[in-house]
C-alpha cells in the first residue's frame, strides 16, 4: 500500500509506537490503556479509533508531538501531518505554560501524573481537560522515549 494512502495507524512506525504507549502506560499505572490482546495492527487501530484522547511527544529539547489519535486530531482541529510537526507546548496557551512545564517535570521524575487543565485548539478554541493521565514512554530497552497523555473528558470553554 502506498504510504500516502495509509491511515496513520497503518504505518509501521505508528504500529511500533502504539506498542510503546500501551506497554509504558501499563508499566507506570498497572492498568490497561486498551485491550491489548489483538495483533499489533489491531492494537494500533484500536488506539487510533479509541473513545478517549491520546497524544504523545518525543524527547527533543522543545518536544514535537509524534502521535495523536482521531479524537486528539479532532479536538485540536489538525491533520495527522500538521499535528505530528507541532511542538507540544503549542497545545496550551502561553498563560498556562508554567503549569504545563511543572506537570511534565513531575511526570518525568515520578513516571506518571494525573492532571486537569485548559488547552487550546489550532483555531484558538479553549477546552478544559479532566481526569487526564500523563506518563513517561519507554522503549524496549526501558529508555526514556518521551511522554504521553490521555483523557476522556474535554469540554469547550469560552
Amino acid at each position: 500500500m502506498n504510504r500516502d494512502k495509509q491511515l496513520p495507524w497503518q504505518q509501521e512506525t505508528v504500529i511500533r509506537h502504539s506498542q510503546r504507549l500501551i506497554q509504558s502506560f501499563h508499566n507506570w499505572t498497572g492498568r490497561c490503556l486498551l485491550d491489548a490482546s489483538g495483533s499489533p495492527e489491531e492494537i494500533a487501530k484500536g488506539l487510533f479509533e479509541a473513545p478517549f484522547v491520546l497524544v504523545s511527544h518525543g524527547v527533543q529539547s522543545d518536544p514535537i508531538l509524534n502521535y495523536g489519535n482521531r479524537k486528539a486530531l479532532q479536538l485540536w482541529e489538525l491533520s495527522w501531518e500538521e499535528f505530528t510537526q507541532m511542538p507540544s507546548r503549542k497545545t496550551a496557551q502561553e498563560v498556562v505554560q508554567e503549569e504545563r512545564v511543572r506537570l511534565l517535570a513531575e511526570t518525568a521524575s515520578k513516571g506518571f501524573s494525573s492532571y486537569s487543565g485548559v488547552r487550546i485548539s489550532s483555531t484558538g478554541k479553549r477546552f478544559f481537560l479532566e481526569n487526564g493521565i500523563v506518563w513517561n514512554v519507554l522503549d524496549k530497552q526501558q529508555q526514556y522515549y518521551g511522554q504521553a497523555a490521555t483523557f476522556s473528558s474535554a469540554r469547550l470553554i469560552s
Side-chain angles (χ1 to χ4, degrees), residues 98-127:
E98 189 174 308
E99 171 59 21
R100 182 183 166 278
V101 168
R102 186 207 58 75
L103 171 68
L104 296 179
E106 175 185 303
T107 301
S109 68
K110 290 171 47 179
F112 76 101
S113 300
S114 298
Y115 80 104
S116 297
V118 177
R119 294 297 181 262
I120 187 168
S121 78
S122 64
T123 63
K125 292 178 186 164
R126 294 172 49 231
F127 47 93

Side-chain angles (χ1 to χ4, degrees), residues 16 31 41 54 84 89 109-110 113 119 136 138:
R16 282 193 307 275
R31 298 178 11 217
E41 293 82 6
L54 177 61
T84 57
R89 66 181 157 73
S109 68
K110 290 171 47 179
S113 300
R119 294 297 181 262
N136 292 335
L138 306 175

Side-chain angles (χ1 to χ4, degrees), residues 7 31 46 51 58 129 146:
L7 292 169
R31 298 178 11 217
L129 311 177

Side-chain angles (χ1 to χ4, degrees), residues 15-103:
I15 292 169
R16 282 193 307 275
H17 190 61
S18 296
Q19 294 293 307
R20 283 189 288 270
L21 293 171
I22 291 263
Q23 291 162 355
S24 295
F25 184 83
H26 186 265
N27 177 66
W28 296 114
T29 68
R31 298 178 11 217
C32 293
L33 187 58
L34 185 77
D35 175 14
S37 62
S39 70
E41 293 82 6
E42 290 168 329
I43 292 168
K45 181 180 182 182
L47 282 180
F48 189 76
E49 301 295 349
F52 52 83
V53 173
L54 177 61
V55 299
S56 68
H57 67 224
V59 296
Q60 303 88 347
S61 58
D62 186 9
I64 303 296
L65 292 164
N66 57 18
Y67 184 88
N69 69 357
R70 187 177 304 281
K71 288 275 190 197
L73 300 178
Q74 291 168 347
L75 192 60
W76 272 280
E77 303 178 283
L78 292 167
S79 69
W80 172 265
E81 292 73 22
E82 294 164 327
F83 193 82
T84 57
Q85 294 176 26
M86 184 171 78
S88 66
R89 66 181 157 73
K90 292 196 173 192
T91 63
Q93 287 182 290
E94 224 24 73
V95 295
V96 297
Q97 285 296 328
E98 189 174 308
E99 171 59 21
R100 182 183 166 278
V101 168
R102 186 207 58 75
L103 171 68

